[in-house]
DNA sequence: TTACTATATTTGTATATACAAATGTTGTAG
DNA sequence: CTACAACATTTGTATATACAAATATAGTAA
C-alpha cells in the first residue's frame, strides 16, 4: 500500500504525519476486509469479537464489565451489542444470582457453531492481509507497535 | 502498548491475529488522541482532514470528488461533512460555472486561521504519539506497512 | 429535438458509536 | 433501620458512518 497513491497526493508528507496516516489506512483496510469476511454471517466485527471473548471464558459466564474490558474497541453500549447476539440466539443472558446488579452472558451451542464458521472466514482474511509479511517481519512490526 | 494487557488476556495470541489486533489498538489510540487534540476547535478528524486537503489546493477550488479521493477515510457523505464546515464559516461552496453538476469548495481565511491553530495541536499530539520511535524506526514501520 | 447513458452530488434510511444521565442494586456509616 | 455513596448496567440522545436511491446536469446518438 502506497500512502501517496491512496490519498492521491504528489507532495511529500513529513515522516511523522505519514506514519500516522499509514497506520490509519492499513487499519481501515483491515476493518473493511474483516467486515466483508463476516458479512455472510450477519455479524459485525464487534459482535464477532464478543463471541470470541465468550468462547475464551471456557464455559464460565462473562459479565458486561468483563466484555467491556476485553473488547478491542471499548464501547459504552455493550448492552445493545449483546442484544443483537441474543436476537440471533448466539448468546444467553441471565441476572447474576449473587449480585443482582450484574448479568451473566454465555455463548450458546448455536453461537459456538456459528463462531467456528466465522473463524474460518476471518482467519483466511487475516492470512490474506498478512500474505506479504514473513514471520520475522510480523514480529518486527509488533515490536514497533509496542512503542505506541 | 502491550496487547495482552490492553485486552486483558493471559493466553497467547497467534502472531497473525496479534498483529491485526495490535494495529487496530494503535490506530484506536491515534484516532482518540487526535480527536481529543481537535476537540477544543469543535471539528472532527475528518473535517480537519478536509481543511488540510483544501489548503493543499493552494487557492484552487476542490470538487466533491477530489475531496473524496484524497480523504484518508473514504466516505459517501462528503456533502454533509462540508455542510458542517460551511456552518462554521471555514469553507465556501459554489456551483461550478463550466459544469453545473460540480461544486467548488474553497477554504476561507477564517478556515485558514483556524487550521493553523489546529495544526499546532495535531502536530504536538502526533509527536507525542511517536515520541518513543526514532526516525529509523518510523521508516522501518512505514516499510512494513507498505506490505499491506 | 428526443431518448438514453454517464457523471456529480445530494438525500433517505438504517446502523454504529460516543457521552451523559437514569435505573436498580449493594455495601456501609451512623 | 435509614441515608448515602459506590457499583453495574441500561437507556436517551446526538452525531457519525455506510449503503442505496434520488436528483440534476451533461454528453451523445438517432
Amino acid at each position: 500500500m502506497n500512502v501517496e497513491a491512496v490519498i492521491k497526493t504528489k507532495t511529500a508528507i513529513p515522516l511523522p504525519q505519514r506514519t500516522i496516516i499509514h497506520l490509519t489506512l492499513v487499519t481501515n483496510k483491515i476493518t473493511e476486509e474483516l467486515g466483508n469476511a463476516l458479512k455472510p454471517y450477519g455479524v459485525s466485527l464487534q459482535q464477532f469479537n464478543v463471541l470470541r471473548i465468550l468462547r475464551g471464558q471456557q464455559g464460565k459466564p462473562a459479565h458486561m464489565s468483563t466484555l467491556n474490558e476485553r473488547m478491542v474497541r471499548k464501547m459504552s453500549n455493550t448492552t445493545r451489542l449483546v442484544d443483537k447476539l441474543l436476537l440471533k440466539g448466539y448468546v444467553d443472558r441471565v441476572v447474576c444470582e449473587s449480585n443482582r446488579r450484574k448479568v451473566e452472558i454465555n455463548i450458546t451451542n448455536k453461537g459456538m457453531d456459528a463462531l467456528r464458521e466465522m473463524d474460518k472466514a476471518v482467519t483466511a482474511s487475516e492470512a490474506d492481509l498478512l500474505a506479504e509479511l514473513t514471520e520475522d517481519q510480523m514480529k518486527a512490526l509488533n515490536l514497533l507497535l509496542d512503542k505506541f
Side-chain angles (χ1 to χ4, degrees), chain A residues 1-2 4 6-8 10 26-27 29 32 38 40 52 58 66-67 74 86 99 109 114 117 126 138 142 144:
Chain A
M1 157 178 307
N2 182 280
E4 285 75 12
V6 176
I7 64 173
K8 304 230 177 14
K10 279 141 275 169
V26 167
T27 304
K29 183 177 176 186
E32 192 182 325
L38 287 171
R52 265 200 311 201
Q58 319 233 134
T66 311
L67 294 181
K74 314 300 181 199
L86 210 56
N99 184 340
N109 287 334
E117 292 306 309
E126 283 176 350
M138 274 190 236
N142 274 280
L144 287 166

Side-chain angles (χ1 to χ4, degrees), chain A residues 140-148:
Chain A
L141 178 52
N142 274 280
L143 283 173
L144 287 166
L145 294 174
D146 279 333
K147 298 185 179 296
F148 282 83

Side-chain angles (χ1 to χ4, degrees), chain A residues 61-129:
Chain A
H63 297 139
M64 279 294 176
S65 51
T66 311
L67 294 181
N68 242 315
E69 271 180 358
R70 303 211 177 155
M71 265 188 275
V72 174
R73 188 164 191 86
K74 314 300 181 199
M75 56 198 298
S76 43
N77 54 344
T78 315
T79 303
R80 282 177 281 221
L81 197 58
V82 170
D83 284 344
K84 300 217 178 84
L85 292 171
L86 210 56
L87 228 63
K88 299 187 180 92
Y90 291 167
V91 303
D92 54 44
R93 175 167 56 184
V94 292
V95 173
C96 176
E97 271 312 303
S98 62
N99 184 340
R100 296 175 43 72
R101 280 174 301 188
K102 297 187 179 181
V103 291
E104 291 179 339
I105 297 133
N106 277 289
I107 186 166
T108 61
N109 287 334
K110 185 178 173 191
M112 282 293 274
D113 291 344
L115 183 52
R116 260 187 294 274
E117 292 306 309
M118 294 173 206
D119 262 331
K120 284 183 210 160
V122 168
T123 304
S125 183
E126 283 176 350
D128 200 45
L129 284 160

